[in-house]
Amino acid sequence: HEMGTTSTTLYTVPTAKSAWVKRAVFTNTTGASIAIAVAVSRAGGAGLAIISSQALAAGTAYVSPELSGLALNAGDAILASATAIGINAFISGLTA
């Protein structure tokens, strides 16, 4: 998923399900440094900052320890934004 400069939902846990993030990788595909921010919204509530600002140098990837192992309930969402276009996000995990 390519991130935008405004907060965008990357994933929402389906109704009557739970989810666990195993790994989240953010990749800067540009030639300039870009900062990312990631938050979790609990069942449609306000976003809780998980990563307030993490700079990614040009052409690098960031594997987020902050999101690894994160447990999410039905309706919870992962939201993210970047200071410029050019960040790809890949989040994997389990849903039950």
Side-chain angles (χ1 to χ4, degrees):
H1 189 272
E2 185 173 41
M3 292 170 44
T5 56
T6 59
S7 186
T8 303
T9 301
L10 298 180
Y11 176 74
T12 301
V13 181
T15 302
K17 298 286 184 180
S18 295
W20 295 269
V21 175
K22 299 295 275 179
R23 185 175 175 109
V25 181
F26 301 90
T27 305
N28 182 346
T29 63
T30 73
S33 180
I34 298 176
I36 63 167
V38 180
V40 170
S41 171
R42 296 292 185 180
L48 170 67
I50 302 297
I51 301 171
S52 59
S53 181
Q54 175 67 46
L56 279 73
T60 64
Y62 175 68
V63 179
S64 169
E66 298 92 342
L67 294 172
S68 180
L70 181 67
L72 301 167
N73 297 313
D76 291 353
I78 298 174
L79 313 166
S81 64
T83 55
I85 300 297
I87 299 290
N88 291 330
F90 179 79
I91 300 172
S92 61
L94 303 170
T95 302

